[in-house]
Amino acid sequence: RVLSRYPELQMFSCRVGGSIGEVLVGNVGCSIRLNFTVLGSEVNVAARLEALGRDVGTATLVTEAVAKHVPTVLNGCTRFIGNVRCKGMQLPVRVWEVMAHTEERSALCEKTTAITCLIDQLASPETFETELDDGLAQYPADKFLNFIDSNKSEISAALGARVVWEIVQCSK
């Protein structure tokens, strides 16, 4: 409605990364130059998740600690993206995508989470590939499922070797 009233405005999209934890917030520097900033590993994780959204085709990525609160606080749905090894972090982070709740998105979240949980639980490569093909048949335009499909041979090889496949973030 706003766009019809003000045609000079344009739609834009953005990505969000979210994490919960302890951070240092305040003015940092000396009396000559003070900058308000936020420091801490959780800030770095959130920044890495925001950047990862571009690679995996998602808008809002959060850690598992944040995802636990989404259904009750935001009335949204979540889907498990996988274990992500963020640049600069030693341990992988369990990452979820947050979506607005609709019937179709809830079904998509359930289907995608079932597929990524197969990876997480070291299912057989055949089971994983069958479920992925079924998911792509139902949701061919989903960017994240297409990201998983583009890595299918690597994921299947990891599953065959009984190794948990992790999304390795190279950007930012």
Side-chain angles (χ1 to χ4, degrees):
R1 199 169 75 183
V2 172
L3 290 176
S4 64
R5 180 178 274 175
Y6 302 99
E8 67 275 8
L9 295 178
Q10 295 185 8
M11 294 292 294
F12 69 94
S13 63
C14 65
R15 290 183 310 278
V16 176
S19 185
I20 294 176
E22 293 185 15
V23 297
L24 176 66
V25 179
N27 290 312
V28 177
C30 64
S31 59
I32 298 172
R33 182 179 172 138
L34 280 177
N35 286 324
F36 185 80
T37 191
V38 182
L39 302 170
S41 64
E42 298 304 326
V43 176
N44 295 338
V45 169
R48 303 282 190 244
L49 295 181
E50 181 273 329
L52 179 66
R54 174 184 51 244
D55 298 335
V56 299
T58 60
T60 306
L61 294 177
V62 297
T63 60
E64 192 163 54
V66 174
K68 290 178 182 177
H69 299 290
V70 168
T72 54
V73 175
L74 298 177
N75 191 27
C77 61
T78 57
R79 64 176 171 175
F80 181 55
I81 296 299
N83 296 304
V84 176
R85 188 163 304 270
C86 295
K87 183 178 176 188
M89 305 288 165
Q90 290 188 335
L91 297 174
V93 178
R94 292 177 62 80
V95 175
W96 296 74
E97 180 184 15
V98 177
M99 296 179 161
H101 179 77
T102 65
E103 290 298 321
E104 183 178 355
R105 285 188 179 150
S106 290
L108 171 63
C109 287
E110 287 178 24
K111 185 62 173 176
T112 309
T113 298
I115 293 167
T116 52
C117 283
L118 288 172
I119 298 168
D120 197 44
Q121 297 165 357
L122 300 175
S124 73
E126 297 79 19
T127 303
F128 158 71
E129 290 176 8
T130 301
E131 285 297 313
L132 178 59
D133 291 343
D134 183 49
L136 285 166
Q138 291 178 41
Y139 306 100
D142 184 68
K143 290 179 182 178
F144 178 66
L145 283 176
N146 283 288
F147 168 79
I148 292 293
D149 188 48
S150 70
N151 290 281
K152 181 165 57 173
S153 60
E154 182 184 326
I155 296 168
S156 292
L159 291 174
R162 307 293 294 159
V163 175
V164 174
W165 182 75
E166 295 174 348
I167 299 170
V168 178
Q169 182 193 24
C170 299
S171 60
K172 196 165 182 183

